[in-house]
């Protein structure tokens, strides 16, 4: 069955969560250096069917993108390309 991957991208480390096959629950998958996240996801997708990625997007309290949003945008471009 298909799974959903949750991604909490950070400049140094990235946290991953994965849904169960029925997409009801999510649990921690791994935390790794952000530079290795694309390779990790490519390897993981060879053993599991991934329906979609849910990526956390950092916002300030006023709803404007936080400073870290630029890093997330660069990561999203890399993820789309991969």
């Amino acid at each position: 069955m298909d799974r959903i991957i949750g991604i909490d991208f950070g400049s140094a480390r990235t946290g991953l969560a994965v849904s169960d096959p029925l997409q009801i629950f999510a649990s921690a998958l791994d935390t790794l250096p952000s530079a290795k996240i694309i390779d990790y996801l490519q390897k993981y997708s060879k053993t599991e069917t991934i329906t979609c990625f849910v990526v956390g997007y950092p916002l300030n309290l006023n709803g404007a993108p936080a400073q870290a949003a630029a890093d997330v945008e660069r990561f999203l471009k890399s993820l789309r390309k991969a």
Side-chain angles (χ1 to χ4, degrees):
M1 299 208 103
D2 300 343
R3 295 179 183 267
I4 298 171
I5 299 286
I7 302 173
D8 184 14
F9 185 82
S11 59
R13 287 183 302 278
T14 296
L16 298 174
V18 64
S19 71
D20 66 306
L22 296 176
Q23 300 179 352
I24 297 172
F25 298 102
S27 57
L29 177 62
D30 212 339
T31 302
L32 25 125
S34 295
K36 298 182 179 184
I37 189 70
I38 298 294
D39 290 336
Y40 182 94
L41 291 172
Q42 287 175 328
K43 289 176 187 172
Y44 187 82
S45 67
K46 290 180 182 177
T47 61
E48 299 288 341
T49 303
I50 300 171
T51 302
C52 68
F53 297 103
V54 177
V55 180
Y57 195 78
L59 298 175
N60 291 318
L61 291 176
N62 66 0
Q67 186 175 358
D71 294 334
V72 173
E73 290 292 340
R74 282 190 292 279
F75 165 70
L76 287 172
K77 285 182 183 179
S78 297
L79 183 60
R80 286 184 188 108
K81 198 179 284 187

